[in-house]
Amino acid sequence: MRLKFLGCFLAFSVAAPSMAAGLDPQQAKAREIFSRIISYKTEVGQGQVPAMAGYLADQFRAAGFPDADIHILPLGETASLVVRYRGDGTGGKPIALMSHMDVVTAKPEDWQRDPYTLVEENGYFFGRGSYDIKSGVALLTATFLQMKKEGFVPKRDLVIVFTGDEETEGATASDLLNNHRELVNVEFALNSDAGGGTLGEDGKAQIYGLQTAEKTYASFEITARNPGGHSSLPRVDNAIFELTDAVKRLQAHRFPVMWSDTTLASFKASGQVTAGKLGEAMSRFAQDPNDAAAADLLNDTPSEVGRTRTTCIPTLLRGGHADNALPQSATVTVNCRIFPGVAVAVVEKTLQSVVGDKIEVKGIGNPTASDASPLRVDVLAAVTEAVHRVHPGVVIVPVQESGATDGLYFRAAGIPTYGVSGMFIKDSDSFAHGLNERVPVASFYDELVHWQVLVRRISGN
Ligand SMILES: [Zn+2]
C-alpha cells in the first residue's frame, strides 16, 4: 500500500532539474527492468509473483551475484526474493532494502491503457504497480546491478527484500521474519514502499516525507443485545437505544494526546510552512506537546487529528431484523487507527470502559501493532543527502502514516524501518491502487539517483 503522506503545505518551492534527452546505460537498464516486471500480472490469485522473482533472480545472477546469495522463498501461490550484496564487514550489521512484487488487482476494461504494459506517454509511465511499487523494485534492482558493475564494496551487507503479498496478507513478510530470520537479520530497513516527496501543481518539489512510523489499523464490533419481542409491547430496554447511548459515549471520548520524536520533528517542520492558526498550533505543539490549546486545535483539524492520538470512529451500523419486532441486537463497527507503541488490547479495554460492561466489544481479525522507529541520525543524514542531490534545499519532514506496509511487520519484529522512497509526485497524480496508475518519467530517473546516493552513503562509503 502507498499513501501520499501529507497534503496542505504551502509552496516552499525548489526547481527540479530538467531531464537530459536520451538515456544513459543505467537509466536504460532501469527502464528495461521496469517494463518487464510491469508485464507480470502479480495480483492476488494469478500466481505470477514467483515468475517475476525468477526474472529478477536471473538479472542478479547475470550481474555476478552468486547463487548462494539469491533466495526465492515460495509461499503458497506467491514468493519473496532476498538478495544479499556482500560488504567487507567493517561497517556493522546488514541493512535491508525493501519493496514488494505484488500489486492491487486492476480491471483492464476500466483502464484507458493495458495496465500490464508499461506505456510512456506525455511525460508519464503508466501501468499497474508503476507507483506502488514496481518502480521501487526496478530501481533497487538497477542500483544493485550498477554497484556490482562498478565493483563497489559496501562496508556492510546490503539485503534486498522483495515480498510477494504486501497488498493482501503480508504473509511473505511474516514468513521471512519468522522462518528465514538468518536471511533478514538486519540492523534496520529502508523501505521503498513509503515516504517520498510532493511536487506542486507547477511541478516544483515542495516537501519530502521520511516515514518512521505507521499507525495500527484495528476494527472492533460493538454490540448491544436484548431478548427482543413484539414491537407493540415495547420494553424499557432496547438494543438500538442502548447501542445509541454507547455510540454517543464513544463520540464524547477522546484518546490521550501522544507524541514521539517523529511527531515533534514533523510538526516543527510543517509548522514553518503552514499558514495561519494551524501553522501556529503545529509550532507550539512541537515546542511543548503539553500545550492543550494547540493540541485541541490539531484535534479539530481532520488532516491532523490522527497525528497526535489514537482515533476510533464508527464506520458501519446494523441492527434489528423486522420493522414490527424489537431488536435482538444492534452492532456498530468501529475502526481505530492506533498510535504507534500502543497495544491493541489496551484500546479494546478503553472501548469497553467507554461503552460500559452491558455492551459487547469484540476485535475483528488479527491486527499487528508496531512501535515508531527512532529517528536515526545516520539515516536522516543519508536521506537528506540523497534528496538534496536531486532537489536541493527541499524541506525534509519525518512522518507517521495512517496507512500500513510490510514495514509494520519489520518494526513489530524489532527492526527499525524507514520509508524513504525517492519518488516525487503531485497530489493530483496519486493513483496508487486506482485507475491509470502512473509516475512522472523524470521522477522515475531522479529516483535512480536517489537510491544510488542513499545506498552508497548508508553502507558507509
Ligand atoms: Zn505498496
Side-chain angles (χ1 to χ4, degrees), residues 17 190 208 210 378-394 396 420-424 443 445-458:
L190 301 180
Y208 180 86
L210 192 175
D378 53 351
V379 171
L380 187 59
V383 169
T384 301
E385 186 178 336
V387 170
H388 286 174
R389 182 71 60 91
V390 182
H391 301 288
V394 79
I396 293 172
V420 295
S421 162
M423 184 60 73
F424 275 71
S443 295
Y445 295 122
D446 283 347
E447 189 174 355
L448 185 58
V449 176
H450 174 86
W451 284 112
Q452 299 211 345
V453 173
L454 175 55
V455 172
R456 279 179 171 78
R457 177 58 63 215
I458 204 68

Side-chain angles (χ1 to χ4, degrees), residues 1-2 100 102 131-133 166-167 193-194 404-405 433:
M1 168 165 163
R2 287 212 69 192
H100 62 84
D102 60 309
Y131 180 64
D132 185 9
I133 182 65
E166 191 273 348
E167 300 290 2
D193 194 29
T405 70
H433 297 196

Side-chain angles (χ1 to χ4, degrees), residues 199-374:
L199 298 176
E201 291 307 310
D202 58 3
K204 290 179 180 167
Q206 289 188 331
I207 196 156
Y208 180 86
L210 192 175
Q211 190 242 44
T212 63
E214 296 169 12
K215 290 182 92 176
T216 307
Y217 179 110
S219 292
F220 299 88
E221 279 191 345
I222 295 182
T223 300
R225 295 195 193 277
N226 190 277
H230 199 281
S231 62
S232 66
L233 306 167
R235 314 157 50 101
V236 178
D237 53 349
N238 175 298
I240 290 177
F241 284 149
E242 278 156 19
L243 187 75
T244 307
D245 287 342
V247 169
K248 293 301 287 179
R249 285 196 291 277
L250 181 64
Q251 184 183 24
H253 178 77
R254 284 206 294 188
F255 284 83
V257 175
M258 299 189 76
W259 62 88
S260 63
D261 53 359
T262 287
T263 323
L264 301 184
S266 165
F267 278 127
K268 187 176 174 201
S270 48
Q272 288 164 14
V273 291
T274 304
K277 282 204 161 73
L278 180 58
E280 240 172 71
M282 289 171 169
S283 299
R284 282 195 350 246
F285 187 88
Q287 237 173 26
D288 176 14
N290 293 306
D291 183 329
D296 281 350
L297 202 139
L298 296 172
N299 185 73
D300 296 342
T301 309
S303 61
E304 309 305 322
V305 55
R307 293 170 73 184
T308 58
R309 54 182 102 212
T310 295
T311 60
C312 288
I313 208 75
T315 52
L316 294 167
L317 187 61
R318 63 176 196 272
H321 55 282
D323 63 0
N324 60 357
L326 297 174
Q328 290 171 4
S329 75
T331 298
V332 63
T333 301
V334 169
N335 180 245
C336 299
R337 304 301 173 109
I338 301 172
F339 203 86
V342 178
V344 177
V346 169
V347 174
E348 180 165 352
K349 220 170 146 189
T350 305
L351 287 174
Q352 186 71 68
S353 75
V354 168
V355 297
D357 43 1
K358 281 197 208 133
I359 307 280
E360 281 175 35
V361 176
K362 211 175 92 200
I364 301 174
N366 205 359
T368 301
S370 70
D371 291 351
S373 298

Side-chain angles (χ1 to χ4, degrees), residues 36-100:
R36 280 293 299 272
I37 62 179
I38 291 275
S39 71
Y40 290 94
K41 204 171 176 183
T42 54
E43 46 184 67
V44 67
Q46 300 289 334
Q48 286 206 21
V49 172
M52 177 175 150
Y55 160 76
L56 291 168
D58 287 344
Q59 295 292 310
F60 288 109
R61 223 171 273 124
F65 287 84
D67 275 331
D69 289 339
I70 303 170
H71 308 267
I72 295 178
L73 302 142
L75 189 70
E77 65 152 48
T78 187
S80 41
L81 173 67
V82 177
V83 181
R84 182 167 293 249
Y85 195 129
R86 300 262 166 200
D88 64 15
T90 60
K93 272 185 84 176
I95 299 168
L97 301 163
M98 296 170 62
S99 196
H100 62 84

Side-chain angles (χ1 to χ4, degrees), residues 73-75 79-80 170-181 184:
L73 302 142
L75 189 70
S80 41
T172 46
S174 300
D175 176 58
L176 285 172
L177 292 159
N178 295 329
N179 305 322
H180 305 283
R181 190 58 181 256
V184 292

